[in-house]
Amino acid sequence: MKKENINIHKNLKIIGLVAKNGENIAVIEEFFASRGIEILVEKNSAKKIGKKGFRLDEICKKTNFIISLGGDGTLISTCRQVVGKDVYVLGIHDGTLGFLTDIKMNDMQSFFTQFFAGIYEIERPLMLDVVFKKNGGKNIKRVAFNDVVITRNTISSMSKVDTYLNGKYFNTYYGDGVIVSSPAGSTAYNMSANGPIIYPLSNVFCITPICSHSLTQRPLVLPNEHELSFKNVDENEVAIVIDGQDVFDMNKFDEVCIHLGNTHANLIRHLNRDYFSVLKEKLHWGHNGGKA
């Protein structure tokens, strides 16, 4: 997906705010109040400072700009909740080390000086569409920003899932589980499991086994027109975890289908943000001058 320029900054009167912690909410409110902009704090975030706040769907009816104040998890949760709406999300870093939130609190003033001058970009990373199917029942649809993890539910058991590619049997994964990762999520759990790092605006996704009981199992990168589906084998205790936030019991469904569709997030970024410089910084590449 390409980066885009959109005039979000023009005639901006209201901004929504989702915050992991409450300590910087007042700082942000004061910063924008001096510019004549009202901050609508999401209700769970507002509780942290003893205020009432607003539901996120209410905020989305009043503005198309939301600030996510926290780490990558806060940004991911916010993007998932506003998916399908014409809403743009800016991540301000106020959490642990991550790849998604590149603006720090002490960079806020300099960033918004550029922002209100129209100097910024929009990134639209594709998200995973997830469909839980039950024969005779209603399908459940979800989206994943980073990944869908199919994993053993207890430490004393293994997961064993049959995998289908575009409706045809493809593989059986037996071990600790399997990760289906979006391009933006490739630097999360997928990377920890030795999966490939994918440029986040690519039109591909990947499947990575977790501690497989077969040495021949390897990560696989797929183009976005392909669909993966998974079925539990022998009713093992297997969980399906979306972005580390939503958990489902695989035994309650006949099949789980995952593909990289047209669903995307809308992220506000620094102009000409260099993803590869972020990789170099976060992963400490090149710090020894190329010496082993």
Side-chain angles (χ1 to χ4, degrees):
M1 301 292 288
K2 294 182 179 179
K3 298 181 180 181
E4 300 180 21
N5 291 315
I6 295 178
N7 295 325
I8 305 169
H9 62 287
K10 292 186 176 180
N11 302 316
L12 188 62
K13 300 298 181 185
I14 298 174
I15 294 176
L17 175 64
V18 178
K20 180 180 180 180
N21 301 307
E23 58 188 79
N24 283 314
I25 291 178
V27 175
I28 290 178
E29 288 179 320
E30 183 179 349
F31 176 83
F32 285 104
S34 65
R35 289 157 178 80
I37 297 174
E38 181 183 4
I39 294 293
L40 300 182
V41 183
E42 185 269 336
K43 64 176 185 178
N44 291 324
S45 307
K47 287 180 182 178
K48 298 176 173 64
I49 57 173
K51 293 185 177 181
K52 186 177 180 181
F54 300 83
R55 297 196 315 271
L56 201 52
D57 62 328
E58 293 176 322
I59 294 174
C60 291
K61 292 177 182 178
K62 296 178 181 295
T63 181
N64 67 345
F65 184 13
I66 293 178
I67 291 174
S68 167
L69 178 63
D72 284 1
T74 307
L75 180 64
I76 289 169
S77 175
T78 302
C79 288
R80 289 182 61 211
Q81 291 181 74
V82 302
V83 72
K85 298 180 173 63
D86 188 24
V87 172
Y88 300 85
V89 181
L90 172 70
I92 296 180
H93 181 76
D94 188 26
T96 56
L97 182 68
F99 284 83
L100 299 174
T101 51
D102 58 320
I103 298 169
K104 299 177 182 179
M105 278 296 299
N106 56 11
D107 297 329
M108 185 172 65
Q109 183 169 348
S110 61
F111 171 79
F112 277 103
T113 298
Q114 293 183 316
F115 175 83
F116 287 115
I119 304 172
Y120 60 94
E121 290 179 328
I122 303 298
E123 288 185 357
R124 299 180 184 271
L126 290 170
M127 302 168 75
L128 295 168
D129 291 327
V130 188
V131 181
F132 297 86
K133 295 184 177 180
K134 180 75 172 179
N135 292 335
K138 186 177 180 181
N139 293 345
I140 297 175
K141 297 181 179 181
R142 294 290 186 271
V143 295
F145 188 105
N146 265 358
D147 51 42
V148 181
V149 179
I150 300 171
T151 183
R152 58 181 181 172
N153 210 15
T154 61
I155 195 170
S156 60
S157 66
M158 291 289 127
S159 69
K160 188 177 182 181
V161 291
D162 285 341
T163 306
Y164 298 79
L165 183 61
N166 300 327
K168 295 181 180 180
Y169 173 75
F170 169 69
N171 200 353
T172 297
Y173 290 97
Y174 180 52
D176 283 3
V178 64
I179 304 164
V180 181
S181 172
S182 72
S186 70
T187 49
Y189 193 5
N190 171 73
M191 185 175 68
S192 297
N194 291 320
I197 295 177
I198 301 172
Y199 183 67
L201 302 181
S202 301
N203 289 322
V204 298
F205 66 117
C206 66
I207 178 171
T208 300
I210 309 169
C211 298
S212 173
H213 277 220
S214 170
L215 294 177
T216 63
Q217 302 287 12
R218 291 292 182 267
L220 178 67
V221 178
L222 295 168
N224 68 340
E225 61 264 23
H226 289 292
E227 180 180 79
L228 290 168
S229 58
F230 300 89
K231 296 180 181 180
N232 197 0
V233 179
D234 302 327
E235 296 187 350
N236 291 308
E237 295 185 37
V238 177
I240 302 167
V241 186
I242 297 179
D243 285 332
Q245 297 172 349
D246 295 339
V247 182
F248 298 84
D249 183 351
M250 196 169 184
N251 282 327
K252 293 183 178 180
F253 306 95
D254 296 299
E255 185 178 17
V256 180
C257 301
I258 306 170
H259 74 284
L260 192 72
N262 295 319
T263 305
H264 58 79
N266 299 315
L267 300 179
I268 300 171
R269 295 293 199 190
H270 277 293
L271 187 66
N272 298 322
R273 174 180 184 263
D274 187 346
Y275 171 72
F276 298 102
S277 292
V278 174
L279 276 184
K280 181 181 177 182
E281 177 189 353
K282 302 296 185 183
L283 302 180
H284 303 286
W285 287 348
H287 286 197
N288 62 357
K291 298 179 181 180

